Amino acid sequence: MGNSLKTVAAFVPSSKCKKYLLEDLEEMPVDKMVDLSGSQLSRLPLHICSFRELVKLYLSDNNLHHLPPELEQLQSLQILALDFNNFKALPLVVCTLKQLCILYLGNNKLCSLPFELRLLQNLKTLWVESNCLQYLPEVVCELRLLKTLHAGSNALRTLPDRLRQLQELRSIWLSGNLLSEFPAVLLDMPFLEVIDVDRNSIRFFPSLAHLPGLKLVIYDHNPCRNAPKVAKGVRRVGRWSEESPEPRKRSGAVIEITLHEKPSPPPAAKPEPE
């Protein structure tokens, strides 16, 4: 799912988001938002860092691989989009922006995240899809207010047990990884509402019927032999889901399970902070 974001204007979160030319940015915009997405930047113009009341900064789809230390001046920043750039490591200056609520890091070349990320204690949404992560960094488990985690299209094989500490987490997106088993830690997270494990290598699904908060589970494109059992009203997207009921054999006879509610795919557009 992560790779499709570029085609849905991933870096322009709404039609009201004005895009600026560099020569237009002599003063901070009245709406406290700057969008320099797709501007072929190889470095951030330093005068942007003088806009101390800036709330939203979109730098997606450029050629950035570092950020200036002056970025630390933007202590009012709540949304920072760095998707589709060339970062091999997250610049530590980002971790000084303690008011950040949403951080977009997708489609870079990140193999890890710095320990200093734990300083972003107001972070509610983290996008790290389409990077080079072979494991989910433990520091993510320190983000106590995190509600949404997008980590699809990496090379994850497992999830850390400490993830259960994130009691505010409501949706986790893990499509396109290397999971061979359903992550056991998710079974201990009753507050989860959305679980996406599409396009992995999971052969067996445990029951998810005990998760009272669950609303949607996406498990399509796995070599599984069963569908995950869920509580009544939970939408399933995958083989033997509502549209194609899972066959069950009993005494040689095949009995079909009939579920009538048709699932709808989740929105791909980026959310704004609550």
Side-chain angles (χ1 to χ4, degrees):
M1 288 190 174
N3 288 329
S4 66
L5 296 174
K6 194 170 184 178
T7 64
V8 291
F11 315 114
V12 184
S14 73
S15 58
K16 298 179 182 179
C17 183
K18 182 178 179 182
K19 196 169 183 177
Y20 297 92
L21 298 175
L22 293 182
E23 55 267 26
D24 296 334
L25 286 169
E26 295 180 0
E27 298 180 357
M28 188 184 74
V30 175
D31 59 6
K32 300 182 180 181
M33 174 176 61
V34 169
D35 176 20
L36 294 175
S37 302
S39 300
Q40 299 183 343
L41 298 176
S42 58
R43 61 181 180 177
L44 178 66
L46 282 180
H47 70 278
I48 301 298
C49 300
S50 67
F51 301 160
R52 294 177 181 266
E53 300 302 315
L54 198 66
V55 173
K56 304 175 184 180
L57 178 58
Y58 299 94
L59 300 173
S60 309
D61 200 12
N62 282 293
N63 298 309
L64 299 172
H65 55 83
H66 73 279
L67 295 172
E70 289 83 356
L71 190 73
E72 185 177 4
Q73 299 176 32
L74 303 182
Q75 287 299 310
S76 296
L77 206 62
Q78 295 180 25
I79 301 177
L80 177 60
L82 300 174
D83 318 52
F84 287 93
N85 277 285
N86 293 311
F87 292 104
K88 294 183 179 180
L90 179 64
L92 292 182
V93 66
V94 172
C95 301
T96 68
L97 306 174
K98 297 183 180 180
Q99 296 305 312
L100 279 182
C101 296
I102 300 180
L103 179 58
Y104 300 122
L105 300 174
N107 289 83
N108 279 285
K109 301 174 182 177
L110 302 175
C111 294
S112 63
L113 294 173
F115 179 71
E116 288 81 358
L117 189 73
R118 66 190 297 271
L119 299 175
L120 302 182
Q121 286 297 305
N122 286 306
L123 204 62
K124 294 182 179 179
T125 300
L126 177 62
W127 295 62
V128 289
E129 80 285 354
S130 298
N131 276 284
C132 304
L133 299 174
Q134 296 185 12
Y135 61 92
L136 187 67
E138 290 273 349
V139 68
V140 172
C141 303
E142 302 283 343
L143 304 174
R144 59 184 179 84
L145 295 183
L146 197 66
K147 296 184 68 174
T148 303
L149 175 61
H150 288 262
S153 299
N154 280 283
L156 304 181
R157 296 180 182 275
T158 186
L159 296 178
D161 289 340
R162 291 180 59 208
L163 196 68
R164 60 171 58 91
Q165 296 176 187
L166 299 183
Q167 297 190 14
E168 296 298 319
L169 194 65
R170 295 297 179 265
S171 59
I172 184 166
W173 306 84
L174 300 167
S175 174
N177 277 286
L178 301 176
L179 299 172
S180 59
E181 297 181 356
F182 185 84
V185 65
L186 301 184
L187 300 175
D188 296 329
M189 301 177 71
F191 31 79
L192 282 175
E193 297 178 358
V194 178
I195 298 175
D196 175 18
V197 288
D198 183 30
R199 299 184 186 279
N200 278 276
S201 300
I202 301 173
R203 294 185 175 276
F204 175 78
F205 280 95
S207 174
L208 305 180
H210 66 288
L211 299 179
L214 194 61
K215 297 178 180 179
L216 171 66
V217 55
I218 306 173
Y219 65 96
D220 209 6
H221 304 99
N222 279 280
C224 55
R225 297 183 178 181
N226 72 308
K229 294 180 180 179
V230 295
K232 184 178 181 180
V234 178
R235 293 180 177 178
R236 299 185 300 177
V237 179
R239 192 180 183 190
W240 305 306
S241 65
E242 285 79 354
E243 292 181 336
S244 302
E246 176 185 0
R248 286 183 178 177
K249 291 186 178 181
R250 182 182 300 169
S251 301
V254 175
I255 301 175
E256 287 191 348
I257 304 171
T258 303
L259 296 173
H260 300 287
E261 187 175 7
K262 182 178 180 181
S264 57
K270 290 183 175 181
E272 297 259 344
E274 297 181 353

